[in-house]
Amino acid sequence: MLTETPNLDDRSFDQMVEESLRYVRENCPQWTDLSPHDPGVVLLELFAFLTEAMIYRLNRLPEKAYIEFLRLIGVKLNPPVAAIVKLEFKLNKPQNQPVEIPRGTRITLNRSGTSSHPPVFTTFQTVVIPKGKTAAEVMAYNCELIEAEPVGIGTGLAGLSVKVKRPPIVARTSEELEILVGVEATSEELKERPRAVEYQGKIYRIWTEVENFSQLEDRF
């Protein structure tokens, strides 16, 4: 997030008028009357006034506009990334049957006497402590596991924007933990776009993220 709005152009009306008059003196020697009542000088002051108004509005652009400007010159913002930790689950003694730690198990720290909330890590794989063993390791991430979430109904028009309930969405961490965007589909529709998942009795075709819409036949 931007902590302070940058001043993209700090030129004032007087500075722009003076700059214009200096340009006239250097490049237009036949223009000898540079007094305020000269029609040409009046036009210079008029354009300086309009430019100052445009600069004022430019410096009040929202953060999203700055992000788009950066994108146009090839600068991309990295998505949020979850902290990763390797956890080891231990038993006091071996068991006669395997012990399963299910996917989505949440683990935190015991921080008594502190005002800050301790981080919560979530396991994204099911791990099993084998029979007769006392420990098993698994990777966990400092984020929340969302199996699926409806975000709205599409209109088919360009510029559709949707919001998730628990932002931000962290970057993809592995093949099993990628961000999928699915649209409810019928079996007939899946003939042309076969990649799909089933959730709560419904089929959703998976869309593919692309930088632009050129050469789509090679990407889908």
Side-chain angles (χ1 to χ4, degrees):
M1 299 296 290
L2 296 174
T3 57
E4 183 179 349
T5 302
N7 197 350
L8 299 179
D9 195 333
D10 60 356
R11 291 177 297 171
S12 66
F13 168 82
D14 292 334
Q15 289 174 327
M16 287 184 285
V17 171
E18 180 58 32
E19 183 179 347
S20 300
L21 293 176
R22 183 171 60 252
Y23 181 87
V24 170
R25 294 189 188 98
E26 295 175 354
N27 298 276
C28 303
Q30 66 274 21
W31 189 346
T32 57
D33 187 1
L34 298 180
S35 60
H37 63 269
D38 181 77
V41 175
V42 173
L43 288 176
L44 290 179
E45 293 180 346
L46 174 61
F47 286 120
F49 172 78
L50 295 175
T51 304
E52 186 182 46
M54 294 174 59
I55 290 175
Y56 171 77
R57 293 181 60 85
L58 179 64
N59 286 328
R60 292 174 61 85
L61 288 176
E63 179 181 339
K64 184 177 181 181
Y66 295 114
I67 296 175
E68 288 301 313
F69 292 152
L70 291 173
R71 185 183 62 80
L72 289 175
I73 63 175
V75 178
K76 294 183 179 180
L77 292 179
N78 293 325
V81 178
I84 305 174
V85 65
K86 180 182 289 186
L87 299 176
E88 184 179 33
F89 290 89
K90 287 186 176 181
L91 300 174
N92 292 329
K93 60 180 180 179
Q95 301 296 309
N96 295 327
Q97 57 185 7
V99 177
E100 180 181 287
I101 295 93
R103 180 175 187 258
T105 300
R106 295 163 62 86
I107 302 96
T108 187
L109 304 175
N110 183 12
R111 287 186 177 177
S112 59
T114 60
S115 57
S116 60
H117 296 288
V120 178
F121 289 85
T122 306
T123 62
F124 280 67
Q125 289 180 334
T126 297
V127 62
V128 176
I129 302 177
K131 174 183 176 181
K133 302 293 184 179
T134 59
E137 292 183 344
V138 64
M139 301 302 296
Y141 300 85
N142 181 213
C143 59
E144 186 177 0
L145 175 63
I146 306 298
E147 295 289 356
E149 177 184 314
V151 294
I153 299 176
T155 62
L157 301 177
L160 176 66
S161 177
V162 296
K163 292 184 177 180
V164 295
K165 295 179 180 178
R166 285 158 286 193
I169 299 176
V170 300
R172 171 182 174 181
T173 56
S174 66
E175 291 290 342
E176 295 78 15
L177 299 176
E178 61 177 329
I179 301 171
L180 300 179
V181 177
V183 177
E184 187 175 348
T186 62
S187 301
E188 186 67 24
E189 293 174 320
L190 294 179
K191 291 182 179 179
E192 298 180 356
R193 197 175 298 208
R195 191 184 182 196
V197 296
E198 184 177 350
Y199 181 73
Q200 294 185 347
K202 296 181 179 180
I203 299 176
Y204 296 86
R205 65 182 184 188
I206 302 303
W207 284 23
T208 302
E209 181 181 2
V210 295
E211 292 289 338
N212 53 65
F213 293 122
S214 63
Q215 299 178 353
L216 291 184
E217 63 276 8
D218 298 332
R219 300 186 181 225
F220 289 87

